[in-house]
Amino acid sequence: MESILALMQSPEAWIALVTLIVMEVVLGIDNLIFISILTNKLPPDQRESARRVGIGLALVMRLALLGTIAWIVKLTTPVFELFGHGFSWKDMILIAGGLFLVWKATKEIHHNVDPDDHNEDFIASTANASFTAAIGQILLLDLVFSVDSIITAVGMTPHLPIMVAAVVVAVTVMLLAATPLANFIEKNPTIVMLALAFLLMIGTTLIAEGMGFHVPKGYVYAAMAFSALVEVLNMLSRNARLRKKASQRLH
């Protein structure tokens, strides 16, 4: 109790908390895009429940991982060496998560380009299996991002209460933003393809990080922000043309 009170009175602790919250929210954007696309494939009456359950379980998992933080930090220790690069468990988790993300994004892009392709999807056809599969995929990807963000957080602050508070705030923001983002993506089909391209880029970045090639995240998010801005301008242009055509028909 005394340590928590001491942290609350420390300006450095508040700066670390705000920095960690911003970092967790930014890193959560990747996960949120994936959750939005994934849950939009479910029946409408199951989508919001899937988002809440998936994000809620993700919060529990992140808090559990924080409880094993001493073990998490050891994941950066090289396990074996290949091509002159020492691979740790963290590297292997990032590579596996990146491969999964690339596979999933490529598969979804294929379905969007060829909607008549009715090959079996990873999300099963029955309602219960679909819901369960969606939750499983949300947790799988969140595990990858959680390990990465926790190791980054350890380098920013040694105080566990600050990390816990940052995770809770960031996941709460994700919970509030999940449905509005999913609805926006569903109403704008071109956004879906852009979001899938983002996931493809993020998956490639995770693989590169796992292979030992550091990719500054600022460049990745700058590219995503620029692409999103271009798409917003395209949407405004399309809406202006539609309004003009509607006005001409009325006159």
Side-chain angles (χ1 to χ4, degrees):
M1 180 63 70
E2 293 181 0
S3 61
I4 295 177
L5 291 176
L7 286 174
M8 292 178 65
Q9 297 172 0
S10 169
E12 292 81 5
W14 283 103
I15 293 172
L17 176 61
V18 172
T19 304
L20 269 180
I21 289 173
V22 172
M23 185 198 75
E24 290 285 347
V25 170
V26 170
L27 291 177
I29 293 173
D30 310 337
N31 210 357
L32 206 53
I33 292 173
F34 179 78
I35 291 171
S36 299
I37 293 175
L38 195 65
T39 54
N40 279 348
K41 295 175 64 101
L42 295 172
D45 61 324
Q46 293 185 352
R47 294 174 185 175
E48 190 165 354
S49 297
R51 293 177 201 122
R52 289 179 178 177
V53 171
I55 295 175
L57 290 176
L59 172 61
V60 173
M61 183 174 66
R62 289 195 181 198
L63 294 177
L65 287 175
L66 282 173
T68 59
I69 199 166
W71 174 74
I72 293 290
V73 172
K74 292 179 182 178
L75 292 178
T76 57
T77 304
V79 178
F80 65 92
E81 186 172 321
L82 189 64
F83 304 120
H85 173 64
F87 287 86
S88 64
W89 282 108
K90 177 196 173 186
D91 294 330
M92 289 184 278
I93 290 172
L94 291 179
I95 291 172
L99 288 171
F100 169 74
L101 209 50
V102 168
W103 172 79
K104 186 64 180 177
T106 303
K107 192 175 181 67
E108 293 298 328
I109 289 173
H110 175 72
H111 283 308
N112 277 272
V113 172
D114 185 10
D116 294 328
D117 182 11
H118 299 295
N119 289 335
E120 184 180 358
D121 192 4
F122 192 85
I123 300 282
S125 57
T126 62
N128 290 335
S130 297
F131 189 90
T132 304
I135 299 300
Q137 291 184 67
I138 290 171
L139 292 178
L140 176 63
L141 196 63
D142 191 74
L143 173 64
V144 177
F145 287 121
S146 294
V147 170
D148 192 27
S149 66
I150 288 173
I151 291 174
T152 303
V154 170
M156 297 177 66
T157 179
H159 303 296
L160 185 60
I162 292 178
M163 298 181 204
V164 171
V167 166
V168 171
V169 172
V171 173
T172 301
V173 171
M174 286 178 60
L175 196 58
L176 295 174
T179 297
L181 178 62
N183 292 339
F184 179 74
I185 289 176
E186 186 182 21
K187 292 176 182 177
N188 298 275
T190 56
I191 292 290
V192 175
M193 194 61 70
L194 181 64
L196 289 171
F198 286 165
L199 293 180
L200 198 59
M201 179 173 65
I202 293 163
T204 305
T205 302
L206 289 175
I207 295 171
E209 290 278 355
M211 297 294 291
F213 300 97
H214 177 63
V215 182
K217 288 184 172 61
Y219 293 159
V220 176
Y221 291 115
M224 290 171 63
F226 179 77
S227 301
L229 177 61
V230 171
E231 183 57 31
V232 168
L233 293 174
N234 282 331
M235 290 170 59
L236 292 174
S237 176
R238 285 195 298 270
N239 290 336
R241 288 196 300 270
L242 290 173
R243 286 196 299 268
K244 184 176 180 179
K245 288 180 180 178
S247 177
Q248 288 174 347
R249 283 196 295 268
L250 290 174
H251 292 84

